Amino acid sequence: MTHSWQDSIYQQRAELAEVLREPLAQLAEKCVPIWGDRLCINQVLREEHSSIPFCNFLYAVTTEGKQISDNVGAKGIQRGHYGRNRSDRPYMQETVPAWGFLLSDAYISHFSHHPALTALQVVRNHSETLGFIGANFMLRDLPVTSELYEEPGDWRQIKGDPAIRGTVFQQSRSESPMDRNIEQSLSILEEFLTKRGVFQCQIHFSSSQAIIWMMDDPFRYRILDREALIDPDICLVYPSHPYDSGAQIPQNKISKILDNMQTLRLSDETIYLRTASINIFNGMVSLTFSCDGSHYMRHDEFLQKNTSFWFGEVG
């Protein structure tokens, strides 16, 4: 079963909350008899900081959000925050559940400008709510315990710039150098994808260029300009490479995918393909049209669509 990125976030948050809830509750209990005493609270936070996993720093605030301790981290007390008004921070705007523990949504830290989140634990003296213990966490310090998020293969359509969509019928396709040599250019790209170790190719039809990523050097991209895309000798620069058995797109489908892209580029003078990409391991293609609408879909779904799907019967 494929999970969305929201599902992965929910799992991560649930596991983190499970780890933090008990030690923060115990810390809050220790602060009850000394509540309001800055120095004593600082001392307790310093002694207990190591018991809160992954914590950047701790502090105490009133129910109104006024800080009544200093920030206390692994290196000791961080001056300059006592008396700070935290009432406008994102975590103070959330409703703390009845059980007294809140793990906030992530936000951008006011000082570090990096993604962070805060855990708030209610401090209670019997039925009276005194305030909160705040625990700050930098997302970069938190472990990722779920499996690496996998992009789903469902068809996704994303609208682009409304200014472009609003004037789409006032424009027409201008023939690019790649358009004039499109069959040869796409034959070269097929060679790269099926025989030269390219696993991702991004084709810019309007600007006559392609960007490729190689299996043997995946962290760097290479640009094929308009001259390279019409010169079969370019293939001599890149060594032969067997088609990877882990690819989700069958090798014999690459040619048909490129043929379909050529059709979408040339079939209509108003609605036409501007850029497209293929990733053989994702098994996906992407398409961005002149109306600035983008589509992401599985290669087999793409191959099932004809021009009437994209342009209507006129196309």
Side-chain angles (χ1 to χ4, degrees):
M1 178 179 178
T2 301
H3 297 283
S4 69
W5 60 268
Q6 292 95 336
D7 294 331
S8 296
I9 290 174
Y10 179 83
Q11 178 183 342
Q12 282 289 109
R13 289 174 56 82
E15 293 178 3
L16 181 59
E18 185 67 26
V19 171
L20 298 177
R21 188 178 295 116
E22 185 59 30
L24 278 173
Q26 294 176 2
L27 174 57
E29 289 182 7
K30 293 181 179 181
C31 289
V32 171
I34 56 172
W35 195 254
D37 188 324
R38 173 186 178 183
L39 296 180
C40 289
I41 293 177
N42 283 350
Q43 182 63 30
V44 170
L45 297 182
R46 190 168 188 175
E47 292 172 353
E48 299 298 323
H49 178 270
S50 62
S51 69
I52 312 300
F54 322 116
C55 182
N56 184 25
F57 58 82
L58 297 164
Y59 56 88
V61 293
T62 66
T63 54
E64 292 78 26
K66 180 180 179 181
Q67 187 162 332
I68 59 172
S69 75
D70 295 284
N71 286 0
V72 179
K75 296 181 179 180
I77 295 174
Q78 304 169 12
R79 304 292 182 183
H81 297 275
Y82 176 76
R84 177 182 169 189
N85 182 5
R86 291 182 177 268
S87 62
D88 62 344
R89 299 303 293 146
Y91 45 86
M92 296 301 294
Q93 308 300 314
E94 298 185 45
T95 301
V96 178
W99 51 87
F101 174 85
L102 168 73
L103 187 62
S104 78
D105 293 332
Y107 56 89
I108 301 301
S109 170
H110 182 74
F111 288 98
S112 72
H113 304 293
H114 295 145
L117 58 80
T118 291
L120 288 179
Q121 173 62 51
V122 171
V123 181
R124 287 195 180 100
N125 185 12
H126 303 297
S127 61
E128 180 186 3
T129 298
L130 302 177
F132 305 96
I133 296 298
N136 174 272
F137 302 87
M138 305 304 293
L139 264 59
R140 59 182 60 183
D141 297 332
L142 297 176
V144 177
T145 57
S146 62
E147 295 181 358
L148 183 64
Y149 170 70
E150 183 175 344
E151 184 70 20
D154 301 330
W155 174 28
R156 299 168 65 186
Q157 181 178 0
I158 301 175
K159 294 182 179 180
D161 188 344
I164 295 176
R165 297 200 307 273
T167 59
V168 65
F169 292 106
Q170 301 173 25
Q171 64 181 358
S172 61
R173 179 177 61 85
S174 296
E175 187 178 60
S176 69
M178 187 175 182
D179 291 342
R180 292 192 289 271
N181 301 277
I182 195 165
E183 291 186 3
Q184 181 156 313
S185 295
L186 294 182
S187 293
I188 291 171
L189 292 177
E190 179 191 357
E191 174 78 9
F192 273 88
L193 285 161
T194 59
K195 299 294 185 180
R196 303 284 168 174
V198 170
F199 70 91
Q200 176 160 325
C201 177
Q202 190 175 74
I203 310 167
H204 297 261
F205 292 95
S206 297
S207 57
S208 301
Q209 62 176 312
I211 303 173
I212 58 174
W213 285 260
M214 315 290 297
M215 281 184 271
D216 289 340
D217 190 19
F219 300 113
R220 284 184 283 243
Y221 61 78
R222 290 162 172 82
I223 300 174
L224 304 178
D225 60 19
R226 62 184 64 183
E227 287 79 14
L229 284 173
I230 62 172
D231 188 351
D233 277 339
I234 189 62
C235 297
L236 297 175
V237 179
Y238 297 90
S240 296
H241 193 292
Y243 198 75
D244 197 279
S245 59
Q248 295 298 304
I249 301 179
Q251 185 176 9
N252 61 4
K253 299 295 184 182
I254 298 295
S255 176
K256 179 60 176 172
I257 290 171
L258 293 171
D259 287 345
N260 282 15
M261 289 178 176
Q262 176 180 338
T263 300
L264 295 179
R265 173 64 182 174
L266 302 179
S267 289
D268 192 282
E269 294 301 308
T270 302
I271 305 296
Y272 53 86
L273 192 61
R274 287 174 50 219
T275 62
S277 72
I278 302 172
N279 186 298
I280 67 171
F281 292 115
N282 278 68
M284 301 285 287
V285 300
S286 73
L287 313 161
T288 300
F289 289 88
S290 55
C291 58
D292 207 36
S294 297
H295 300 260
Y296 301 84
M297 60 175 59
R298 297 192 315 273
H299 72 280
D300 52 346
E301 186 176 8
F302 172 64
L303 290 175
Q304 294 169 4
K305 309 296 185 186
N306 55 28
T307 53
S308 63
F309 172 82
W310 300 103
F311 307 125
E313 293 303 324
V314 175

